[in-house]
Amino acid sequence: MNLISPILSDESILFRNDQIFTVLAVLGIIFAGIAVYLLIMERKVRKLEKIAKELRERNNEQRQGTKDQAKENREGK
Amino acid sequence: MRTKEILSLLYREFLLEWKQKYAFNGLLLYVVSMVFVLSLAFGGSIPPKTWNIIFWITMLFVAINAVAKSFMSENRGITLYLYSLASPFSIIVAKWIYNCLLMLAFGFITYILFLFFSPVETGNAGHYLLVVGLACPGFATALTLVSAIAASAENKATLLAILSFPLTIPLLLTAISAGRKAIENQPVSDSASLILFLLLFIVIIATVSFILFPFLWRE
Amino acid sequence: MKNARAQKYRWIYKVLALALIAFAIVAGFAIDRQQLTKDFGGESWRNIFFHVPMWYAMMVMFFYSCWQSMQFLNKGNLKSDGKAVNAAHAGILFGLLGLSTGILWARVTWVREIESGELQAWWAGDPKQNAALILVLIYLGYFLVRSSIAEPVRKAKVSAVLNVFGAAMIVPLLYIVPRVAAFSSHPGSGEEGILAALKSLDAGQRMIFYPSAAGFILLGIWLTELRSRIAEAGEKINDALANSTPS
């Protein structure tokens, strides 16, 4: 038995029934979903990186602060 | 080339096996059981194409079991000491040679056993044995490094099984295809490209294994 | 530093990725059906603008992953190993997507002419498809190995070795499987038709195909980069919290 897809004719069922718009709509929704997901991830990652940077700077300040204090103590003596 | 090192390591492998013999015998039992069950299931007479296929699938399982032991049955203390003396290159080469010889032996044994339990009328024995003789070392080559990788992990047995299947598929397909040509009595020249591939496979994968193994060994 | 300046313009390639894929979706359906489609199952040939680019993206990601593994083995920088893992994630994603689109496409277009006329299988035994599945299996094994070793340096080393070894295996696979599959008794595999279609793409179709491929590849790079940044930021935060002196 040789079953070949019924779409193998000159006419395109897809365009004839305007099913093309359904297909495009579905694809568009999937694409929009992926795009939204990626953009939200980008935003989260940027926030994460900002937090990381702030923590680091705070650490550096603290370290600087204790270093200065140690220096003062030594000079004070 | 540290031939002496390699030879002595190889000798050690044989010695270990000779003293305990349990790996070889275990594998032998495994092969006999498999061939027996398969021949029973098929009712004695197997069509040539199928014979070829189940032969190679049996070889696959034998290979995984045989080569698995090469790195995983090492008990830590003495082995580590010995291996700190030898270079990783010698270790992998010795294991590879040993596995190739082991696989060759079992290839031949499986072939005899299959013929014993379910003989096949057609087929060019010389041609078939040529394919067996090239594909079995191929299995050994492919799986030796996989065994080393799996030995460094936690759940070794499952890992070895899972890693082995995708990595031996090209070899398996080529062996089945070449074996099929042999069993259907086609001239050797027909399967020349496949046989060349088997040869190249061994050379390339062995080289890659020898290069990669030292990275694994730096413990 | 070069890094800082590059970071400012990072958004460009991401917008480009999304734009290219959107273009591929719209143009892929807008383009006129041509003589080609009669041989390849009607409208479903438009899949060529999506399925094959996804596989290109998968190959690029896996190649990059293997390259990073080699770099790690060479220099021992754990960052390379991180890049290798993330690229492998993206590669597997595209691989699975490519396989599913391939299955659906083959099911719609070609049927396996099985001699006894039974039900056709879902899996078209096509060489490229088989090779892609094996590649995905190898990389799943890669992740399995990584999850079974705890210590980070050993994990990186062993999985890097597997990565390179798998790649060395795949190269002969891609050349031998098509030749071996020719002996199979199932005629009319899909991909020869697809390759023929690819070669005979005319200019208009190429203009959609190549940008689509580029878009998917850029998308893969974006995904890899996101994972890397998350991992890096997490590490930095952990470091900072560990080193902070209690106030």
Side-chain angles (χ1 to χ4, degrees):
Chain A
M1 276 224 303
N2 201 357
L3 301 167
I4 307 208
S5 165
I7 307 186
L8 254 188
S9 48
D10 245 2
E11 314 164 337
S12 167
I13 303 185
L14 202 58
F15 276 102
R16 202 180 348 128
N17 300 357
D18 279 344
Q19 278 175 355
I20 185 74
F21 293 120
T22 335
V23 172
L24 272 181
V26 169
L27 281 179
I29 292 180
I30 297 178
F31 174 76
I34 295 177
V36 162
Y37 170 76
L38 284 173
L39 290 173
I40 291 186
M41 288 303 284
E42 271 285 328
R43 214 177 290 183
K44 284 196 186 161
V45 172
R46 294 226 178 120
K47 219 191 295 186
L48 254 183
E49 286 175 341
K50 208 158 44 139
I51 294 180
K53 215 159 104 175
E54 279 174 19
L55 274 179
R56 248 204 193 169
E57 281 169 10
R58 198 176 1 134
N59 268 0
N60 284 344
E61 282 173 20
Q62 277 184 346
R63 221 169 289 151
Q64 201 55 32
T66 45
K67 254 196 249 173
D68 290 339
Q69 251 191 8
K71 216 160 125 189
E72 274 175 41
N73 286 349
R74 252 181 289 136
E75 284 169 9
K77 293 276 165 61
Chain B
M1 262 271 283
R2 312 169 186 223
T3 338
K4 224 166 70 160
E5 230 174 48
I6 295 178
L7 283 178
S8 52
L9 279 171
L10 192 56
Y11 181 60
R12 170 183 170 261
E13 298 276 340
F14 276 111
L15 217 59
L16 273 179
E17 191 46 49
W18 191 248
K19 283 203 180 141
Q20 292 186 307
K21 290 208 190 81
Y22 91 104
F24 191 85
N25 288 343
L27 278 173
L28 200 55
L29 197 58
Y30 183 77
V31 178
V32 172
S33 317
M34 259 193 97
V35 179
F36 184 48
V37 166
L38 283 169
S39 76
L40 277 184
F42 274 94
S45 104
I46 308 182
K49 206 170 79 174
T50 320
W51 193 94
N52 179 43
I53 293 179
I54 60 177
F55 176 83
W56 284 112
I57 297 206
T58 310
M59 280 317 298
L60 175 67
F61 282 101
V62 168
I64 293 181
N65 281 319
V67 180
K69 296 196 179 11
S70 64
F71 275 101
M72 299 216 249
S73 63
E74 305 279 346
N75 37 10
R76 300 312 262 166
I78 295 187
T79 322
L80 272 186
Y81 170 67
L82 279 176
Y83 285 168
S84 63
L85 301 174
S87 82
F89 181 76
S90 320
I91 297 175
I92 187 87
V93 173
K95 292 247 186 226
W96 174 69
I97 297 180
Y98 177 72
N99 283 332
C100 280
L101 295 172
L102 189 66
M103 280 309 298
L104 273 174
F106 270 103
F108 190 61
I109 292 177
T110 316
Y111 178 73
I112 302 281
L113 281 175
F114 259 106
L115 280 183
F116 178 70
F117 279 104
S118 343
V120 176
E121 323 77 38
T122 67
N124 182 354
H127 190 183
Y128 205 81
L129 281 175
L130 175 65
V131 176
V132 171
L134 280 178
C136 289
F139 276 114
T141 316
L143 292 176
T144 305
L145 189 68
V146 177
S147 168
I149 292 177
S152 323
E154 293 311 308
N155 38 347
K156 306 179 202 254
T158 23
L159 208 58
L160 181 68
I162 295 180
L163 289 178
S164 319
F165 285 111
L167 290 172
T168 50
I169 288 185
L171 188 62
L172 190 65
L173 287 180
T174 317
I176 291 183
S177 161
R180 177 187 168 159
K181 293 212 159 86
I183 219 169
E184 288 179 349
N185 262 332
Q186 301 187 358
V188 185
S189 52
D190 258 5
S191 49
S193 64
L194 293 171
I195 292 184
L196 186 63
F197 171 77
L198 286 176
L199 211 55
L200 280 179
F201 184 87
I202 296 179
V203 169
I204 295 178
I205 301 295
T207 316
V208 172
S209 304
F210 297 161
I211 297 178
L212 285 178
F213 182 71
F215 291 108
L216 272 183
W217 199 245
R218 307 227 187 91
E219 294 194 40
Chain C
M1 269 186 59
K2 147 180 115 146
N3 238 350
R5 206 181 315 156
Q7 281 187 4
K8 252 183 52 175
Y9 297 111
R10 244 175 1 197
W11 60 274
I12 295 184
Y13 89 81
K14 298 173 187 173
V15 170
L16 194 61
L18 286 179
L20 284 173
I21 296 183
F23 165 72
I25 294 180
V26 171
F29 282 92
I31 190 173
D32 241 1
R33 276 186 73 218
Q34 307 183 356
Q35 185 60 30
L36 206 55
T37 73
K38 275 231 200 101
D39 307 323
F40 293 108
E43 298 291 338
S44 66
W45 74 281
R46 295 179 190 274
N47 195 12
I48 211 175
F49 294 132
F50 306 106
H51 166 79
V52 182
M54 276 195 242
W55 270 357
Y56 279 19
M58 171 187 86
M59 295 304 295
V60 168
M61 291 291 114
F62 280 151
F63 178 74
Y64 179 71
S65 172
C66 177
W67 174 250
Q68 287 297 328
S69 275
M70 284 199 253
Q71 291 287 82
F72 170 73
L73 287 177
N74 239 337
K75 304 194 182 139
N77 183 4
L78 272 174
K79 271 205 184 157
S80 299
D81 179 66
K83 288 187 200 167
V85 185
N86 298 329
H89 272 278
I92 286 198
L93 175 71
F94 283 119
L96 291 176
L97 282 178
L99 281 172
S100 20
T101 48
I103 290 176
L104 291 174
W105 193 10
R107 182 112 172 133
V108 162
T109 331
W110 291 276
V111 295
R112 284 246 290 251
E113 297 169 19
I114 305 188
E115 285 100 39
S116 54
E118 311 151 355
L119 283 179
Q120 63 198 79
W122 280 87
W123 183 261
D126 164 70
K128 279 273 179 68
Q129 201 180 22
N130 290 335
L133 179 66
I134 294 175
L135 204 49
V136 169
L137 284 177
I138 292 183
Y139 274 93
L140 286 178
Y142 173 77
F143 284 116
L144 199 62
V145 163
R146 287 192 72 90
S147 69
S148 69
I149 303 180
E151 201 253 304
V153 177
R154 281 231 14 257
K155 175 199 302 225
K157 253 193 221 158
V158 176
S159 57
V161 167
L162 181 61
N163 202 344
V164 177
F165 190 63
M169 279 285 187
I170 276 296
V171 168
L173 179 77
L174 286 177
Y175 288 107
I176 200 62
V177 169
R179 215 181 304 173
V180 161
F183 83 90
S184 137
S185 60
H186 296 294
S189 284
E191 207 78 13
E192 295 116 23
I194 296 184
L195 272 179
L198 250 174
K199 291 200 173 81
S200 60
L201 276 183
D202 66 16
Q205 294 162 348
R206 267 179 226 255
M207 255 190 355
I208 306 182
F209 179 76
Y210 287 121
S212 171
F216 276 104
I217 294 178
L218 288 177
L219 188 67
I221 298 180
W222 189 359
L223 289 171
T224 315
E225 191 211 275
L226 269 178
R227 292 189 73 99
S228 304
R229 278 163 65 197
I230 294 179
E232 217 180 286
E235 243 180 57
K236 282 198 195 145
I237 293 183
N238 277 338
D239 275 345
L241 286 177
N243 291 343
S244 68
T245 53
S247 41

